[in-house]
Amino acid sequence: MKNILRFSGMLATLAGLFAYLAPLAFHELLAEYTGAPNAHLVRDVGAAYIAAGVALWWAALAPAWRAPLVTVAAVFLLLHAGGHLIDLFSGHVQWSHLLIDSIQVFLPAMFVCGLALYFLKNTDDGNP
């Protein structure tokens, strides 16, 4: 489980660092469909991904804290995925973008939510 958490934390942190440190390049490569680039907003999203990644890394190191740390990461990822769904269903984003959103946003959110549910179900007062 440690390696799964470390790997998940590494992916989230790397994505966040890319968005935070190179927001215009991140926008051009992964978010151009959202319209004009907004470096500040992309950095904000990067910061949230870094925070989620740190929570997942920390959960790998602190078994007693896994349930709350992974749950916090899952909340961000789930809300972020919800925003993407709103964009799809409202017509703001073309349905042709569903595949890339599934890989980049929806699957990671579902995976981390599954981890959170697992840890919440299999702990007593946060202790495994």
Side-chain angles (χ1 to χ4, degrees), residues 90-114:
S90 70
H92 182 72
V93 172
Q94 300 281 334
W95 279 95
S96 60
H97 206 268
L98 179 62
L99 178 61
I100 195 73
D101 273 0
S102 294
I103 295 166
Q104 293 178 349
V105 179
F106 303 138
L107 289 176
M110 291 180 347
F111 180 74
V112 175
C113 285

Side-chain angles (χ1 to χ4, degrees), residues 60-102:
L61 301 172
W65 286 83
R66 282 184 180 157
L69 287 167
V70 175
T71 299
V72 168
V75 166
F76 161 68
L77 293 171
L78 187 63
L79 290 170
H80 181 231
H84 280 253
L85 286 173
I86 290 168
D87 286 346
L88 283 168
F89 281 101
S90 70
H92 182 72
V93 172
Q94 300 281 334
W95 279 95
S96 60
H97 206 268
L98 179 62
L99 178 61
I100 195 73
D101 273 0
S102 294

Side-chain angles (χ1 to χ4, degrees), residues 3-126:
N3 288 336
I4 291 171
L5 291 167
R6 285 181 185 143
F7 184 71
S8 299
M10 177 190 66
L11 288 178
T13 302
L14 288 174
L17 285 170
F18 179 31
Y20 194 83
L21 297 174
L24 297 179
F26 180 93
H27 182 271
E28 183 178 328
L29 182 65
L30 299 171
E32 196 167 44
Y33 69 94
T34 62
N38 180 329
H40 178 92
L41 184 59
V42 174
R43 278 194 189 98
D44 287 351
V45 172
Y49 264 97
I50 292 167
V54 168
L56 293 167
W57 272 95
W58 190 356
L61 301 172
W65 286 83
R66 282 184 180 157
L69 287 167
V70 175
T71 299
V72 168
V75 166
F76 161 68
L77 293 171
L78 187 63
L79 290 170
H80 181 231
H84 280 253
L85 286 173
I86 290 168
D87 286 346
L88 283 168
F89 281 101
S90 70
H92 182 72
V93 172
Q94 300 281 334
W95 279 95
S96 60
H97 206 268
L98 179 62
L99 178 61
I100 195 73
D101 273 0
S102 294
I103 295 166
Q104 293 178 349
V105 179
F106 303 138
L107 289 176
M110 291 180 347
F111 180 74
V112 175
C113 285
L115 286 175
L117 291 172
Y118 171 81
F119 290 125
L120 289 168
K121 183 178 178 183
N122 292 295
T123 60
D124 290 327
D125 297 328

